[in-house]
Amino acid sequence: MPSLLRVLASIIACTIFAPSAASALVQRGLPTKSQIQQELGHRLSHGTEIYFPNDSEFTNYTTRWSAAVAPDIAVVVVPATGEDVATTVKFANAIGLPFYAVNRGHGSTTSQLKLKHGIQINMRRLAGINIAKDGKSAVMGGGVYADEIIKTLDTKGKVTMTGACTCVGAMGPALGGGVGMYMGFYGLATDQIIDLDVVLADGSLKKVSATSNPDLYWGMRGAGHNFGIVTQFNYKIYERPTADWYYSTMYFTADKLERYFELLNTLSDHGNQPKELFANTFFQLNPNISTTEPVITFAVYYAGTATAAQPYLAPFAKLNPLLTINQTVSYPDLANAVGSGVDSPICQDGAYSASLFPTGLKTHNATASRAVYDLYKKMVTEQPAFNRSFVQLENFSAQKLKSVDAASTAYPHRDDDLLTTWTMIYAPSAALDALVPKYGNQARTLLAAGQPQRPLNTYVNYAYGDETLEQLYGYEAWRQQKLKGLKKKYDPENKFRFYNPIIR
């Protein structure tokens, strides 16, 4: 019997859900979709959907941003309420199937491949946004994503912290930290969480906050993928500080690299750059400039006017960029304008495979940066199939990030001032999959050599999947012990083990 049918047969055999009906179904032969609906469907609220591999909607719900890390899904459940999530988890436990919650499907870690014949709990229907009367917070569904939040809040003159790619879910990044354009104003996304409704591994639904299950509140903010499914959360929001965002993109040839990073370190000032300014550097091939020589792209996003941004851009303009593009847009339009919005190629699902290799830094080492540039050039020369790949270096204002006590949340990397990510983008191919870690880990080795006094920190939301627990969740013994203690208390059977797990 095919493995999927064996799985579905076990569903019908489950005695905790209508045992007499289950026995009758098994006796009649192989289970069908209608039979699964009978066992689980009638226990779910109106509006919940269940899909199987032969359903037309199944592919829509299981196609991920990166084709290389698609888990093995037997059934998709699209809950209409938080209680439906809890019911589905209990059902999965009862019949021995693994389960995995998904929002927008942008996680790219290889640990997802360990999910076999599982139930995907798709969170997209849990997407409400309700702003509090005092305008200081909003209750949001666990399936809401960044673009929805930004546009909804903007109509009320409000903003909050989300990821810079607005096609990505809100809560997934927040559980692992969450970096984005408004970091300088408000800190990490995880620092905006007031409370959470969480379905635990046993299917119970708990309120989690500083006063209710406070130990879990600590763990959910930085390592939350290990502990539960967030069905709803209360989140800090703020008055919009500016109506305009100015962005400037400059392109430089590689001979400017050393001077460029000297200027970039001056701008960054060890994380003390202006809160209004978020800067990205890319090593990438730009066919409009050259098909063989990668360029250095400097992209600055400034919460304010062009006039206010100019003092920070002027030193780079003196480097004589090949091309400069400037524009002022509203915040809701910024992501699409700069290529990271829901309509941008980088946000489309299923077209490519993607793998990320992040490294946290204190400062840019020009020698290491040159070595990474040379490696990138070598890779796209040797393997043209990787020519959509890029190296991204994120410079953000870190004052607000560091104002939060490092021991107060599970997020371990508040001492990092920069985030560098070797990003592999390529057409789906098993042969190319095998080459990916060769280049990605070599890049991390080069970056680590540029800061020999520091251990290698890796941002869990971008992790490739081969990192150590210390690299992901911190090197302090007390931090590791606390995480493992929470795991033993809230998920002793390690049900949540498919996203950079603490217990392996």
Side-chain angles (χ1 to χ4, degrees), residues 161-468:
M161 250 300 296
T162 67
C165 283
T166 58
C167 54
V168 176
M171 186 43 55
L175 294 177
V179 300
M181 300 293 188
Y182 270 117
M183 277 185 68
F185 288 84
Y186 313 122
L188 294 169
T190 204
D191 297 331
Q192 315 313 314
I193 297 172
I194 300 169
D195 61 58
L196 308 134
D197 291 348
V198 181
V199 174
L200 300 180
D202 63 359
S204 59
L205 185 57
K206 302 290 186 182
K207 179 70 72 176
V208 177
S209 69
T211 56
S212 179
N213 301 297
D215 56 346
L216 187 56
Y217 181 61
W218 179 89
M220 292 297 293
R221 294 174 299 146
H225 312 93
N226 287 275
F227 300 113
I229 302 171
V230 178
T231 61
Q232 182 173 274
F233 58 100
N234 194 12
Y235 205 66
K236 298 175 186 176
I237 64 174
Y238 307 90
E239 292 295 324
R240 183 175 56 210
T242 177
D244 295 327
W245 275 72
Y246 175 77
Y247 76 88
S248 179
T249 306
M250 303 181 191
Y251 300 89
F252 299 95
T253 52
D255 60 299
K256 308 289 180 64
L257 185 146
E258 282 73 19
R259 176 57 179 158
Y260 173 84
F261 279 104
E262 182 180 342
L263 293 175
L264 195 59
N265 280 332
T266 299
L267 175 65
S268 176
D269 189 23
H270 302 286
N272 292 312
Q273 70 189 47
K275 66 181 181 180
E276 295 86 358
L277 192 149
F278 191 100
N280 273 326
T281 300
F282 299 94
F283 300 155
Q284 60 188 156
L285 280 177
N286 186 326
N288 294 321
I289 297 174
S290 173
T291 58
T292 59
E293 294 294 319
V295 294
I296 302 167
T297 304
F298 180 48
V300 172
Y301 321 109
Y302 189 86
T305 65
T307 300
Q310 285 312 308
Y312 309 110
L313 299 175
F316 296 90
K318 291 179 181 178
L319 275 183
N320 297 318
L322 295 166
L323 175 68
T324 300
I325 299 172
N326 303 316
Q327 190 173 352
T328 298
V329 296
S330 68
Y331 186 56
D333 294 329
L334 179 64
N336 274 325
V338 303
S340 60
V342 292
D343 299 323
S344 304
I346 194 66
C347 272
Q348 305 315 304
D349 290 342
Y352 301 105
S353 289
S355 294
L356 283 64
F357 294 81
T359 305
L361 302 174
K362 290 294 291 180
T363 189
H364 294 293
N365 181 296
T367 301
S369 298
R370 169 63 71 179
V372 170
Y373 175 90
D374 290 342
L375 175 63
Y376 175 80
K377 181 179 177 180
K378 178 183 178 183
M379 180 188 74
V380 296
T381 301
E382 294 176 345
Q383 301 289 340
F386 289 137
N387 64 8
R388 294 181 181 87
S389 302
F390 53 87
V391 183
Q392 181 177 10
L393 304 93
E394 297 178 80
N395 280 62
F396 43 78
S397 176
Q399 299 102 308
K400 195 69 175 180
L401 164 80
K402 294 181 180 181
S403 70
V404 176
D405 181 4
S408 67
T409 72
Y411 182 77
H413 302 318
R414 293 185 187 272
D415 192 46
D416 290 348
D417 294 326
L418 313 164
L419 180 58
T420 297
T421 308
W422 180 279
T423 304
M424 305 289 284
I425 306 289
Y426 54 100
S429 162
L432 294 177
D433 290 343
L435 294 176
V436 164
K438 166 190 170 182
Y439 291 109
N441 283 318
Q442 189 174 346
R444 286 205 284 209
T445 298
L446 293 172
L447 289 167
Q451 51 173 25
Q453 75 283 3
R454 299 187 79 227
L456 176 62
N457 293 339
T458 58
Y459 180 44
V460 68
N461 289 343
Y462 295 174
Y464 173 67
D466 62 353
E467 296 85 356
T468 68

